[in-house]
Amino acid sequence: AEPGMETALGAYAVGVLAALALAATIALEQAWLTVALALMLPGMAWIDNALRVQGLRRVALLMAGVVLVRLALNPYILDYPIGSGLLFNWLLYGYGLPLLSFAGAAWLFRQGGDDRLVQVLEGGAVLFLVLLVSLEIRHSFTGSLTHDSYDLAEQALHSLAWLSIATGLRRIPHRPTLSRAALGLIGLATAQILVFQLIADNPLVTNQPVGERTLFNLLLPAYALPALLYAGLAVLYHDRERLRQLCGGMALLLAFVWMSLEVRHGFAGSRLESEPIRAAELYTYSAVWLAYAGALFAAGLRWRSEALRHAGLAMLLLEILKVFLVDMSSLTGLWRALSFMGL
């Protein structure tokens, strides 16, 4: 209750934190140093709530910037010894503890004001979550963060992780930083799927084995599961027309690719380019595509969606083109008759 005592206590507390930071800098190395610096942020937030020390938020913002640079922009971090554990390695505490520290500090500091510091802490927490999940996936596939391989299975898990995190962030209301982070993750996953999973590393192009099982194979995480996540995002972004159309379009495209590749897998086996296309396979494409078009029409009528009806119409037009341009020249006898009768 004495005049000036709160400022003195604040200065003393900040001095304690500074001494801890100096001790951590001297005693620790590599990831543990950054973890020690990150763990000071919740302490600063607690002091700020208790004493409202002027200038403490600027110090915390500087500390947060140091941690972000060391964990996100430090190229030497790729050379740290990770360890042999699949999950329990330095990535778990090196990014997991700063993630918890940033999230906790953001929540505590927000009680005293929703300013730039809170936004930086929220953004840093999301960044550490993405880096933790992505680097753990990378380590589990290659055993190293600098390995030069990047195959379809790893791409699929990265895309699923980014879309899942974006879905979770979208469900947190009234946080602009988290909303922007979700949009960035959707854009990152979409770019990777379009460039790598659909084109460059498509199993039809690379002839990479996708597994022998009919449904539970590499095509499921690479195309079917992302389609479901995009469909969920299209529902969550019902109030943003362009983004809803993007997510809905990606869901429909990936579902179409998955069904088509599954048909090819059923006839060719694990390597999709190992067998020639026969009449039965061509007819199966027609049947599957027609069923897909009918499902889209039914869904469009059920939920009064003009976009789904248009998608069903586009699918039907594609099937008509296939029947007249491909089936007429490739199918003979009963298969050709069945194709036209089905249409």
Side-chain angles (χ1 to χ4, degrees):
E2 298 180 13
M5 184 55 67
E6 287 188 358
T7 303
L9 287 174
Y12 178 79
V14 173
V16 171
L17 288 173
L20 286 172
L22 180 61
T25 304
I26 296 172
L28 302 176
E29 61 180 6
Q30 295 180 346
W32 275 115
L33 170 59
T34 310
V35 169
L37 297 177
L39 288 173
M40 295 175 191
L41 289 169
M44 291 182 177
W46 179 77
I47 295 170
D48 183 70
N49 285 335
L51 301 176
R52 302 297 182 199
V53 180
Q54 187 175 5
L56 184 59
R57 284 176 171 257
R58 290 193 292 270
V59 177
L61 183 61
L62 177 63
M63 184 72 74
V66 171
V67 176
L68 284 169
V69 169
R70 284 188 57 85
L71 286 180
L73 301 178
N74 181 11
Y76 299 104
I77 205 168
L78 299 176
D79 299 326
Y80 288 179
I82 300 176
S84 58
L86 184 62
L87 179 63
F88 296 97
N89 47 56
W90 81 258
L91 293 173
L92 185 61
Y93 68 79
Y95 285 95
L97 291 179
L99 160 64
L100 296 176
S101 297
F102 270 58
W107 181 76
L108 290 171
F109 273 119
R110 192 165 65 241
Q111 297 179 16
D114 195 353
D115 55 4
R116 180 183 300 177
L117 172 61
V118 175
Q119 297 174 4
V120 169
L121 291 172
E122 289 178 343
V126 174
L127 177 62
F128 293 151
L129 174 60
V130 174
L131 288 174
L132 171 61
V133 174
S134 300
L135 292 177
E136 284 284 9
I137 292 173
R138 181 68 174 157
H139 174 59
S140 65
F141 272 89
T142 65
S144 169
L145 301 182
T146 57
H147 201 277
D148 57 357
S149 67
Y150 191 53
D151 59 15
L152 181 62
E154 184 178 354
Q155 295 166 18
L157 285 185
H158 281 297
S159 298
L160 288 174
W162 298 338
L163 291 173
S164 299
I165 294 173
T167 302
L169 294 177
R170 173 60 180 173
R171 300 183 67 87
I172 301 176
H174 312 304
R175 302 309 307 163
T177 302
L178 302 185
S179 297
R180 289 191 291 268
L183 293 179
L185 288 171
I186 293 173
L188 183 61
T190 302
Q192 173 169 269
I193 290 172
L194 291 175
V195 175
F196 291 100
Q197 293 171 228
L198 288 177
I199 301 176
D201 291 306
N202 191 308
L204 282 176
V205 177
T206 62
N207 204 27
Q208 174 185 349
V210 298
E212 296 293 341
R213 295 187 177 183
T214 302
L215 293 178
F216 297 97
N217 50 55
L218 182 55
L219 301 176
L220 183 70
Y223 303 104
L225 296 182
L228 293 176
L229 287 173
Y230 273 114
L233 287 168
V235 174
L236 291 176
Y237 283 102
H238 62 88
D239 55 338
R240 302 186 62 171
E241 183 64 21
R242 291 186 177 180
L243 192 57
R244 182 181 67 85
Q245 291 177 354
L246 169 66
C247 293
M250 287 296 296
L252 296 175
L253 174 63
L254 289 172
F256 169 72
V257 171
W258 175 70
M259 289 186 296
S260 301
L261 293 180
E262 275 294 341
V263 172
R264 181 61 182 153
H265 176 266
F267 285 91
S270 181
R271 295 186 180 272
L272 303 186
E273 278 295 299
S274 61
E275 296 290 336
I277 299 178
R278 297 183 175 87
E281 182 177 349
L282 282 176
Y283 178 75
T284 305
Y285 285 123
S286 298
V288 170
W289 293 359
L290 280 171
Y292 186 41
L296 292 176
F297 275 123
L301 293 172
R302 171 64 178 82
W303 287 292
R304 301 179 182 273
S305 172
E306 185 179 3
L308 287 176
R309 294 197 300 273
H310 285 170
L313 179 61
M315 195 69 235
L316 185 59
L317 291 175
L318 177 63
E319 171 59 20
I320 292 172
L321 290 174
K322 174 186 176 295
V323 168
F324 282 95
L325 298 179
V326 178
D327 291 0
M328 284 188 66
S329 61
S330 301
L331 297 180
T332 58
L334 181 61
W335 291 116
R336 180 186 293 183
L338 289 175
S339 178
F340 276 89
M341 290 173 63
L343 179 58

